[in-house]
Amino acid sequence: MTKIALITGASRGLGAALAEALAPGHHIVAVAKTVGALEDLDDRIKEKGGEATLAPMDVTNDGAMQHLCAMIHERWRTVDLWLHTAIHAAPLTPAPHIDTGDWSKSWAVNVEATRRMIAYVAPLLGESGTAVFFDDPHAGAKFFGSYGATKAAQVALARSWAVETASTGPRVVVASPAPMPTAVRARFHPGEDRSRLTSCADEAARIVADLRL
């Protein structure tokens, strides 16, 4: 029976690396806004002998996410693994100068979309599936108000879900990735020596191994 891995935020960085690490053992449902990056990912998955369903959608579009989960249910009935890497990284700024638009988008992507997706994906995961979220140590750091606060809220939501389902399932995991040379990190740490960071591929392989799927 085909195992289904739903990856939100799959077009680049850790999300794309996780998709490649899980193929061909899983059919990848790859969700992201960037069509070209999804098509490139699809090519790499096919090179590994895997298959993917591309979903060029915005996770903040409630109707699109409902349609996606309904499609998954109709086609496969279940999701074995959901990895949520979709994130909005607002520009760094002092707390008194946080832009209203940046704050609203950070909340919409990092918190509200996550809340809705948990509600939609939980029935697909059932008691035996696994949901994975990703922690980040920037909460409370200077200039990280928008990103840090909303990312911390996302992780808090995931941790609550993990406690609530500990004895019933699904399994909910909050992973702590090593620093990687992603586009998001480059925005936060310009000029950093990226050669000293862990590659996305290596970190994805470690995370998948730790999940013991």
Side-chain angles (χ1 to χ4, degrees):
M1 184 175 179
T2 302
K3 290 186 176 181
I4 307 301
L6 170 63
I7 304 178
T8 37
S11 61
R12 57 174 63 89
L14 181 60
L18 286 165
E20 292 185 64
L22 288 163
H26 293 73
H27 182 97
I28 307 298
V29 180
V31 182
K33 292 190 296 184
T34 310
V35 175
L38 283 178
E39 291 174 342
D40 290 343
L41 173 64
D42 188 39
D43 291 339
R44 297 195 300 274
I45 288 173
K46 287 178 179 175
E47 288 175 1
K48 295 177 178 291
E51 293 184 346
T53 296
L54 306 183
M57 299 175 173
D58 185 339
V59 294
T60 66
N61 186 323
D62 187 28
M65 293 303 98
Q66 289 187 48
H67 176 76
L68 171 68
C69 291
M71 179 275 293
I72 292 172
H73 181 265
E74 181 177 349
R75 183 172 177 183
W76 296 293
R77 311 302 293 180
T78 63
V79 164
D80 297 281
L81 179 63
W82 171 35
L83 301 113
H84 187 54
T85 65
I87 198 73
H88 175 66
L92 302 184
T93 186
H97 302 292
I98 292 174
D99 178 77
T100 299
D102 286 332
W103 175 263
S104 296
K105 187 171 183 179
S106 297
W107 184 265
V109 176
N110 302 345
V111 185
E112 183 59 20
T114 303
R115 180 194 66 80
R116 288 199 304 261
M117 285 299 292
I118 288 173
Y120 299 154
V121 178
L124 297 171
L125 291 170
E127 297 179 355
S128 59
T130 298
V132 186
F133 301 85
F134 300 91
D135 201 359
D136 191 301
H138 286 108
K142 63 181 181 180
F143 309 131
F144 277 87
S146 287
Y147 174 79
T150 55
K151 182 63 176 174
Q154 180 192 86
V155 171
L157 181 58
R159 292 192 190 282
S160 291
W161 189 26
V163 174
E164 293 158 3
T165 62
S167 61
T168 62
R171 178 171 63 140
V172 179
V173 176
V174 177
S176 297
M180 296 167 286
T182 61
V184 169
R185 187 173 179 86
R187 291 179 59 190
F188 289 161
H189 301 278
E192 181 180 44
D193 182 0
R194 292 166 70 83
S195 68
R196 303 169 70 90
L197 304 177
T198 304
S199 74
C200 292
D202 287 348
E203 192 59 12
R206 182 192 68 80
I207 290 168
V208 170
D210 285 350
L211 290 174
R212 297 181 176 86
L213 301 172

